[in-house]
């Protein structure tokens, strides 16, 4: 059986042991912000572009730090479709505001784990174990 992998990038932004999360129009789950690479983009370029599009802020490429890669069943997709998230943290400039397909921005805590997608649950667990998310 072949697994289809959805390759994505995510920006881990933590504040007071909560994590920045977004909800898109028409979706019932919150997601850690990020997205997919376009052809020829590096992780850095893709993440900076996606976050600019979604949240109107600019990540400083010099501060990008690899957090980890997490995999899980893709939310809302057929069994066996896996989402793989390469996660980075990084400082930003500008004011966070929802744009394009984003309906809402929220700071979530570990107790909000039921509100996020499968792969984000694994990320929540990892951050919680490392005492970064309460």
């Amino acid at each position: 059986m072949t697994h289809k992998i959805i390759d994505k990038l995510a920006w881990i932004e933590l504040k007071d042991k909560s994590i920045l999360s977004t909800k898109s129009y028409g979706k019932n789950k919150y997601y850690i912000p990020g997205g997919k690479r376009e052809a020829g983009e590096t992780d850095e370029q893709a993440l900076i572009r996606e976050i600019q599009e979604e949240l109107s802020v600019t990540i400083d490429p010099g501060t990008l730090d690899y957090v980890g890669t997490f995999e899980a069943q893709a939310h809302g997709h057929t069994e066996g479709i896996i989402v793989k998230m390469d996660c980075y943290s990084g400082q930003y400039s500008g004011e966070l505001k929802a744009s394009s397909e984003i309906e809402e921005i929220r700071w979530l805590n570990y107790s909000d784990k039921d509100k996020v997608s499968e792969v984000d649950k694994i990320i929540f667990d990892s951050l919680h174990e490392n005492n970064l998310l309460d």
Side-chain angles (χ1 to χ4, degrees):
M1 179 178 144
T2 57
H3 282 307
K4 180 177 182 333
I5 292 191
I6 301 170
D7 205 359
K8 294 186 84 173
L9 297 160
W11 179 43
I12 307 286
E13 175 62 17
L14 298 163
K15 182 179 80 175
D16 304 326
K17 297 208 173 172
S18 56
I19 184 167
L20 181 70
S21 302
T22 58
K23 188 161 88 72
S24 298
Y25 288 101
K27 301 275 190 202
N28 61 354
K29 294 279 184 191
Y30 287 88
Y31 290 86
I32 295 168
K36 298 181 181 134
R37 293 173 203 79
E38 288 180 356
E41 278 185 324
T42 63
D43 282 9
E44 180 182 289
Q45 290 166 332
L47 196 58
I48 290 168
R49 176 185 52 75
E50 283 283 352
I51 297 307
Q52 178 74 56
E53 285 172 10
E54 291 182 6
L55 299 170
S56 314
V57 296
T58 305
I59 295 178
D60 173 0
T63 66
L64 272 182
D65 206 12
Y66 175 70
V67 175
T69 298
F70 302 89
E71 292 187 15
Q73 166 67 33
H75 178 68
H77 288 269
T78 318
E79 189 68 36
I81 295 182
I82 305 297
V83 64
K84 176 166 99 55
M85 292 265 247
D86 293 324
C87 297
Y88 294 86
S89 62
Q91 293 166 4
Y92 69 92
S93 56
E95 191 184 335
L96 288 166
K97 52 179 187 283
S99 63
S100 71
E101 75 270 24
I102 304 300
E103 180 180 14
E104 187 188 348
I105 300 172
R106 248 177 95 181
W107 293 92
L108 297 182
N109 296 97
Y110 190 64
S111 60
D112 296 310
K113 198 172 104 167
D114 61 331
K115 298 183 177 77
V116 300
S117 69
E118 293 307 312
V119 72
D120 288 4
K121 286 179 181 165
I122 297 171
I123 296 168
F124 271 45
D125 285 342
S126 173
L127 293 170
H128 185 64
E129 281 160 21
N130 290 302
N131 202 27
L132 297 168
L133 188 66
D134 278 348

